[in-house]
Amino acid sequence: MATNLLTDEEVFGRPSGRLLSDDEVFGAAPAPAPGSGRSAADWARDVGVTALKGAVGLPQAFAGLLNLADTVNRGTAPASLREAMGDPTSRPGVGKALEDAGLRFEDAQKGLDELYSPAQQAANRKVAQADGFVPTLQAALDNPSTIARAAIELIPQMLGGAAVGRAVVAGAPKVAPWLAGALGEGVMGAGSAAEQIRGETAGGELTLGQALAALGSGATTAVLGAAGGRIAQKLGLAQVILPGDAA
């Protein structure tokens, strides 16, 4: 004999409501972090923005080199020479003069930073906010897109360093290509550091102490580049900065 199934109203005394969702039973799933997703269009945009930043960085470094030479001269030249040059301390430095003329490299770099995708901006902030060498390294490893971004952005300056290196070899053929390449890297590094320091200084002028600090930064870059070039030569690897040259 067939048995009729009891309804919810007969069992519980009231009609059943709607079925609960998984979120209501187990808790809502955590919302994705802002900018955690990145589309193909975002990747393409980020690469393009980085390429533009590198293109701005090359003339920015050369402007820094001009400003370095000008600042060192203004700070160390004898009074008689400064008077003969029309007292260069009475005029704006090269970097400030270029800025006043409308060549605002630092503003251009900051504007380009805002064009990155939300995901890349978030990654950049995590690395920038890290405090100390090890935390910064860890943040970069956790956000590998920042490493790729830095490498792409440096390509124009590497080409500028290669041009300086070739000029060194042309003027002093006995200089080993790996050493000339390192000198080129150091020169570009000093110029880039000088312009970055100047752009962050109130008044927009580079002091003699800051110029010397930028030169020290460039010297460190050159030493590291020389060590890397020497190791590459010992291992028989091709020269990257001065391709085709033999030590």
Side-chain angles (χ1 to χ4, degrees), residues 72-240:
V72 171
N73 172 64
R74 296 167 74 193
T76 61
S80 58
L81 180 58
R82 288 201 301 269
E83 291 174 3
M85 296 175 61
D87 189 12
T89 58
S90 65
R91 60 168 173 76
V94 171
K96 185 66 166 59
L98 291 174
E99 186 177 280
D100 291 342
L103 291 176
R104 300 177 177 270
F105 297 111
E106 192 66 23
D107 289 346
Q109 294 285 15
K110 291 178 179 178
L112 288 170
D113 284 335
E114 296 178 359
L115 296 181
Y116 277 121
S117 68
Q120 188 60 54
Q121 290 190 42
N124 292 344
R125 280 194 299 271
K126 290 177 182 177
V127 174
Q129 293 170 357
D131 186 16
F133 175 76
V134 173
T136 300
L137 179 60
Q138 185 60 55
L141 294 175
D142 292 340
N143 299 273
S145 64
T146 61
I147 300 175
R149 178 190 63 79
I152 295 173
E153 191 173 339
L154 281 175
I155 290 176
Q157 289 192 41
M158 290 176 62
L159 296 176
V164 173
R166 288 188 179 280
V168 171
V169 171
K174 293 185 178 181
V175 175
W178 60 266
L179 180 56
L183 291 174
E185 291 179 35
V187 167
M188 297 304 296
S192 180
E195 187 58 19
Q196 182 178 358
I197 294 171
R198 189 204 64 77
E200 296 173 353
T201 300
E205 292 283 10
L206 192 68
T207 67
L208 179 59
Q210 291 171 331
L212 294 177
L215 289 171
S217 175
T220 300
T221 299
V223 169
L224 294 175
R230 187 61 173 169
I231 292 173
Q233 183 198 38
K234 291 294 185 181
L235 295 176
L237 301 178
Q239 291 291 328
V240 176

Side-chain angles (χ1 to χ4, degrees), residues 3-52:
T3 302
N4 292 327
L5 295 176
L6 298 177
T7 66
D8 288 346
E9 188 173 1
E10 291 173 318
V11 174
F12 301 107
R14 60 182 175 81
S16 61
R18 62 179 178 82
L19 295 176
L20 298 177
S21 68
D22 289 346
D23 286 349
E24 291 172 314
V25 174
F26 303 106
S36 59
R38 197 180 321 206
S39 66
D42 287 337
W43 282 108
R45 180 172 70 172
D46 291 341
V47 171
V49 171
T50 300
L52 287 174

